[in-house]
Amino acid sequence: MIAIQKRVITLFFLCLSMTVCTQNSLTDQFITEKIIQFRNNNPDSLYYYAEKLLHSDDICAQFVGKYNIAVSYYTKGDYKASELYSIKTLREFTSDLLSKNPCLVRNRVSVLGRLFWIAKNQNNFDEAFEYLMMRKEAIELLKTSEPNLSQYYIRKLSLASNIALMKHALGLHEEAANLLSQAYAEFGKTIPASSSDGNSFGDL
């Protein structure tokens, strides 16, 4: 009888835990949809919902929140605040965390991309190039951490576009055009048919 009672209690708490996890997941998904909705048009609302993700039980969701807080500052033109928050977030990507979830690798790539744009938009080309090289190294980690390599190829194409943009800004127009042409040709040959891995928390 006691054994049966213990099993019932265990089952009750298991069901309760699953319910809480499901509710948390649905809440995160709702907030994520709001972030997508306000990403390019309402930095205040973006900040509001991004900050809520900081309290998620999902580590990936937390970093999506951190990244989008930096985006909200950036969108408002506060490059300094965006830069400081992005650097702070970048330091939180420990090797241990990165080894456990590909989502965090993707988010680190995105944070480095944000730092590139901040530097580039302020004509700090040397600093922008340094962030591009750091981003290139981060992208290469996706080759081994990503279950779906499309994530790797998409970001590799993005990196090539960023480098071409830098070359164009420096007056190297032909080099920029050739680099983009090669990148798109390679992308067309290597991109897998599907670009979705079922993870709600990419880098948004």
Side-chain angles (χ1 to χ4, degrees):
M1 182 69 177
I2 295 177
I4 294 176
Q5 288 178 334
K6 286 183 177 180
R7 288 178 183 177
V8 170
I9 292 172
T10 300
L11 181 60
F12 170 77
F13 280 108
L14 178 60
C15 291
L16 179 62
S17 175
M18 291 175 66
T19 301
V20 171
C21 288
T22 300
Q23 289 175 341
N24 288 340
S25 177
L26 290 173
T27 299
D28 287 347
Q29 187 60 41
F30 171 78
I31 295 173
T32 301
E33 290 171 359
K34 288 296 183 182
I35 285 175
I36 294 172
Q37 178 182 345
F38 295 119
R39 179 79 178 274
N40 297 316
N41 53 47
N42 193 328
D44 291 328
S45 293
L46 175 61
Y47 181 95
Y48 174 80
Y49 285 105
E51 198 275 336
K52 285 185 174 295
L53 277 187
L54 302 185
H55 309 290
S56 171
D57 294 329
D58 188 321
I59 187 69
C60 286
Q62 292 174 25
F63 275 94
V64 167
K66 292 175 183 181
Y67 170 68
N68 280 284
I69 285 176
V71 172
S72 71
Y73 288 133
Y74 178 89
T75 305
K76 294 175 77 171
D78 192 345
Y79 292 156
K80 190 62 179 178
S82 185
E83 179 183 22
L84 291 174
Y85 200 91
S86 294
I87 291 173
K88 176 179 176 292
T89 302
L90 190 63
R91 290 172 178 161
E92 296 176 16
F93 287 108
T94 64
S95 299
D96 183 56
L97 283 177
L98 292 172
S99 66
K100 291 178 179 178
N101 200 317
C103 164
L104 298 183
V105 180
R106 295 198 298 273
N107 274 283
R108 183 168 180 267
V109 170
S110 296
V111 171
L112 287 167
R114 182 57 47 197
L115 286 166
F116 158 74
W117 282 108
I118 292 170
K120 194 296 185 165
N121 287 347
Q122 298 179 96
N123 295 322
N124 296 328
F125 293 133
D126 289 341
E127 188 174 306
F129 187 75
E130 287 180 15
Y131 283 125
L132 279 183
M133 293 303 98
M134 292 174 66
R135 191 166 185 248
K136 181 179 181 180
E137 292 181 7
I139 288 172
E140 287 304 313
L141 291 177
L142 291 173
K143 225 174 185 180
T144 54
S145 66
E146 269 290 347
N148 187 336
L149 280 179
S150 60
Q151 297 290 339
Y152 164 73
Y153 291 119
I154 289 169
R155 284 157 179 78
K156 192 174 179 181
L157 177 62
S158 172
L159 177 69
S161 298
N162 292 157
I163 295 174
L165 184 66
M166 287 284 289
K167 287 182 178 292
H168 182 78
L170 294 171
L172 304 173
H173 307 304
E174 187 174 348
E175 284 188 30
N178 289 338
L179 176 61
L180 270 183
S181 178
Q182 293 172 8
Y184 275 102
E186 180 182 355
F187 181 79
K189 293 177 181 177
T190 55
I191 186 68
S194 172
S195 61
S196 173
D197 62 1
N199 191 332
S200 298
F201 302 110
D203 56 1
L204 287 180

